[in-house]
């Protein structure tokens, strides 16, 4: 399965939701073979020690043989010949899911000849009604003030329906003091979100605030 969608649209969230119910083996970082080996070694309680990466890779492939649990490669992007060869080797033993932002060969790399045979699932941004539901849920849960419902359309336009950006905007509202009826305050709200996207607020700072 190839799960496609822009950054923040919910690919990792979908995998997290299905992780336990489908008993998935998840490689949260899939840009380097070493990261993938580390994740799968933990699944099989294997110690890497001083083993060369090639031996680690072969040992993981051997461990996967005869198992049935799907392996998820989250955050897949440009794949080298070595990495694409490993993923193909995994796909010969167990079902494979790839989460990527693009299916184009110039974005996904050498794995492209393999993924054209995958089932494609595309995650799209929220439509306005879904954004409204998210905002109303946040209001109902008490995390944002009631008048946030009045700017649901603005939030949707500002985020272009992207769930991650919508959640970040709601988080800014929850910890800030904004006059949501004021256009200048809304611009400051969006600026604060973008600043905190680059310079995240530490958990202790959030709790202190």
């Amino acid at each position: 399965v190839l799960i496609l969608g822009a950054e923040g649209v919910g690919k990792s969230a979908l995998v997290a939701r299905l992780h336990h119910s489908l008993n998935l083996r998840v490689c949260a970082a899939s840009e380097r073979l070493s990261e993938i080996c580390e994740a799968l070694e933990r699944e099989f309680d294997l110690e890497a020690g001083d083993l060369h990466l090639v031996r680690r890779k072969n040992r993981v492939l051997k461990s996967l043989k005869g198992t049935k649990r799907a392996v998820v490669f989250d955050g897949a992007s440009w794949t080298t010949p070595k990495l694409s060869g490993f993923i193909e080797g995994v796909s010969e033993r167990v079902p494979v899911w790839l989460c990527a932002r693009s299916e184009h060969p110039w974005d996904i790399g050498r794995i492209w000849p393999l993924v054209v045979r995958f089932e494609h699932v595309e995650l799209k941004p929220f439509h306005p009604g879904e954004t409204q539901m998210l905002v109303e849920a946040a209001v109902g849960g008490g995390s944002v003030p009631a008048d946030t419902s009045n700017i649901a359309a603005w939030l949707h336009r500002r985020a272009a329906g992207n769930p991650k950006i919508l959640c970040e905007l709601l988080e800014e509202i929850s910890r800030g003091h904004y006059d949501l009826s004021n256009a200048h305050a809304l611009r400051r709200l969006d600026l604060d979100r973008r600043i905190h996207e680059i310079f995240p607020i530490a958990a202790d700072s959030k709790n202190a605030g």
Side-chain angles (χ1 to χ4, degrees), residues 110-181:
R110 295 295 293 271
I111 197 67
W112 181 79
L114 177 65
V115 300
V116 295
R117 304 196 300 267
F118 279 35
E119 291 291 335
H120 286 43
V121 176
E122 184 176 0
L123 302 185
K124 297 183 179 180
F126 281 4
H127 58 64
E130 291 170 323
T131 297
Q132 185 73 46
M133 290 172 60
L134 175 65
V135 172
E136 289 176 359
V139 170
S143 60
V144 296
D147 58 350
T148 307
S149 297
N150 300 331
I151 64 165
W154 179 88
L155 290 168
H156 182 80
R157 290 193 302 272
R158 182 59 58 183
N162 185 290
K164 178 175 180 285
I165 297 176
L166 285 168
C167 288
E168 289 173 349
L169 287 166
L170 291 171
E171 186 175 358
E172 288 296 335
I173 293 173
S174 73
R175 65 175 171 236
H177 301 283
Y178 302 96
D179 178 0
L180 299 182
S181 63

Side-chain angles (χ1 to χ4, degrees), residues 11 25 58 156 185 193:
K11 302 182 295 298
R25 301 188 196 276
N58 292 335
H156 182 80
R193 181 201 69 81

Side-chain angles (χ1 to χ4, degrees), residues 76-95:
S77 56
W78 180 262
T79 53
T80 62
K82 184 183 297 184
L83 180 54
S84 62
F86 175 76
I87 294 174
E88 185 167 9
V90 175
S91 72
E92 293 169 353
R93 291 162 173 79
V94 295

Side-chain angles (χ1 to χ4, degrees), residues 19 35 41 55 62 95 97 101 120 128 132 137 148 168 182:
H19 188 171
E35 296 172 331
E41 283 166 345
R55 292 191 63 187
K62 184 178 179 180
W97 293 14
R101 298 178 188 175
H120 286 43
Q132 185 73 46
T148 307
E168 289 173 349
N182 185 297

Side-chain angles (χ1 to χ4, degrees), residues 3 13 23 30 32 45 48 75 81 87 93 98 104 115 121-122 128 131 166 170 176 181 185 192 198 205:
I3 303 174
N23 204 18
S30 302
R32 292 192 294 271
D45 294 322
I87 294 174
R93 291 162 173 79
L98 285 176
H104 299 302
V115 300
V121 176
E122 184 176 0
T131 297
L166 285 168
L170 291 171
S181 63
D192 288 344
I198 300 171
S205 299

